[in-house]
Amino acid sequence: MTIQPVDVLYTAVATAENGRDGRVASDDGKLDVTVNPPKELGGSGAGTNPEQLFAAGFSACFQSALGVVARQAKADISGSRVTAKVGIGKIASGGFGLTVELSVAIPSLDGATARELVEKAHQVCPYSNATRGNIEVLLTVV
């Protein structure tokens, strides 16, 4: 896969202290959270975790991409929702990997039209483009 150049319009900056059992904060102070491993991974589960942060970012970004393609198609997606489920687990070659399931609900559209818009959004969403070919991303229209 060829890496395409990006004309950067904005750069987010965040710093982690103590990895998965510490704190993450953005340079502008708008994000400042305690991170802890979830209980399922042997942690306290007291704070958020990188997978939740990734799920939040992916779902918000995908919802925006859906809005872009819907406007181009002159389709009404009012009341739509995008839920991201991010899984983490061991991979065969060692280390850990992620999986993502995006569940998209667009109650104002029929199933075929909703599916078409979801597929188009998956082609323009920056998170989709970053993960394509790297991790499993399952798209579900509900």
Side-chain angles (χ1 to χ4, degrees), residues 2 9 15 17 54 61 64 82 84-86 94-95 98 100 110-111 119 125 132 142:
T2 304
L9 302 174
T15 302
E17 298 171 0
F54 190 75
C61 190
S64 291
V82 177
K85 297 177 184 177
V86 175
L98 299 175
V100 174
D110 64 89
E119 291 291 343
C125 173
R132 188 172 292 110
V142 294

Side-chain angles (χ1 to χ4, degrees), residues 60-77:
C61 190
F62 198 89
Q63 179 76 40
S64 291
L66 185 61
V68 168
V69 298
R71 280 190 297 280
Q72 291 171 346
K74 297 183 181 4
D76 175 17
I77 62 163

